[in-house]
Amino acid sequence: MSASALPISDELRRWCPGVWEALSAGVDVPPAPQSSMNIDEAERYCRALATSHDENFPLIAGLLPRNLRQPMFSVYSYCRWADDLGDEVGDRELSSRLLAWWREELRLCFDGAALRHPVFVALQRTAREFELPRTPFDDLLTAFEQDQRVTDYATFDELLGYCRNSANPVGRIVLKLCGVDDEQSLALSDSVCTGLQLANFWQDVARDADIGRTYLPREDRERYGYSTADLANRVTNTALGRLMRFEVDRARSLLMAVHDLVPRIPGRMSVAIDLFGAGGLRICDRIEALDYRVWEQRPVVTKWDVVTLLSRCLLRAAGF
């Protein structure tokens, strides 16, 4: 069994017959049939999904301790599906209904019920084995639901509130898998995850605009004189450069917490965490190298960048 690249509607019909049709029509989802999928099949599905949807995931998986690889695949698959239900449907009302259904499936997963979707079959075992709390998984859905209602942000504090649900829960889940849950480590993780989220926003200013969203706070745009008309017309000017420099510096300052977080993470997971932080910082460098001209070119982290960053992370882990 493998994860396919079919549209989300076809994938949902494959695993949960009747759900797409019911939610598209705005009616109750039919009762779930008893799943015939066993845990091995479900975990193979999650492994294939994780390694086929993210070209860097196989490299990252190689850094993980063996006992954390499948749990990370299961968690990634949950996040991937939730993200696609929010972003790949093309209908905000339908996405909201799909996310509400996914939240109910999450409840059943943590309640120990029989499940039909391979992601939840796999996640249920991971949640039990590592005593994962349900809250961060729910928080992620809150962020994706917010995306269906909110398309821009008045203040940076509002944007940070979004990041608390869209990014920070992932770090908290990963720390729990690592057996780390002290308050200082959680705070450092929140800083790194928010920084990563912001770096991704500044990397994808144009892509987000394509789907009618902007994460550049209005108060910041006004402070630097980048008008609503400039934003709508994707104008590159001095004001944009100053605005983007300010936002990138904010992301970079939050990401720097990775240097304090890494020593608190046991074993090989510390290298993976270090690599994530380094990747976020490299995105910031790439945006700066483009002179903050984010409308004309999407700044990217290349495969060579990843290899270089990994080498540096491994050297740091070895004490060099």
Side-chain angles (χ1 to χ4, degrees), residues 87-104:
D87 276 355
E88 301 300 325
V89 174
D91 180 324
R92 289 177 180 171
E93 290 187 8
L94 178 55
S95 281
S96 295
R97 292 195 291 272
L98 286 163
L99 288 166
W101 167 77
W102 195 249
R103 190 187 292 276
E104 175 61 15

Side-chain angles (χ1 to χ4, degrees), residues 182-228:
D182 64 280
E183 289 302 317
Q184 183 62 26
S185 296
L186 292 172
L188 291 167
S189 173
D190 288 348
S191 179
V192 174
C193 289
T194 292
L196 277 170
Q197 178 77 90
L198 294 176
N200 289 147
F201 286 156
W202 314 148
Q203 178 185 39
D204 286 331
V205 169
R207 287 188 175 186
D208 288 330
D210 289 341
I211 57 174
R213 294 179 191 155
T214 181
Y215 295 98
L216 290 163
R218 287 198 300 277
E219 66 176 4
D220 297 341
R221 301 197 312 259
E222 292 170 0
R223 177 187 305 173
Y224 288 99
Y226 196 68
S227 69
T228 301

Side-chain angles (χ1 to χ4, degrees), residues 88-159:
E88 301 300 325
V89 174
D91 180 324
R92 289 177 180 171
E93 290 187 8
L94 178 55
S95 281
S96 295
R97 292 195 291 272
L98 286 163
L99 288 166
W101 167 77
W102 195 249
R103 190 187 292 276
E104 175 61 15
E105 294 294 296
L106 178 68
R107 182 190 68 79
L108 293 172
C109 173
F110 275 81
D111 284 352
L115 302 161
R116 53 182 165 176
H117 196 290
V119 167
F120 286 113
V121 173
L123 183 62
Q124 190 174 68
R125 177 150 88 172
T126 294
R128 285 172 175 167
E129 180 180 353
F130 290 88
E131 298 181 347
L132 298 180
R134 176 179 155 188
T135 298
F137 294 93
D138 264 320
D139 289 344
L140 284 168
L141 295 183
T142 297
F144 297 137
E145 289 167 341
Q146 185 170 325
D147 277 333
Q148 312 313 311
R149 306 186 308 272
V150 180
T151 57
D152 66 1
Y153 291 83
T155 68
F156 185 64
D157 283 345
E158 287 183 6
L159 186 60

Side-chain angles (χ1 to χ4, degrees), residues 3 20 29 34 51 80 90 97 126 130 151 154-155 169 222 232 244 270 287 300 313-314:
W20 180 268
V29 172
Q34 182 70 35
T51 55
R80 178 75 272 153
R97 292 195 291 272
T126 294
F130 290 88
T151 57
T155 68
E222 292 170 0
M244 292 308 304
S270 65
I287 298 171
V300 296
C313 292
L314 290 169

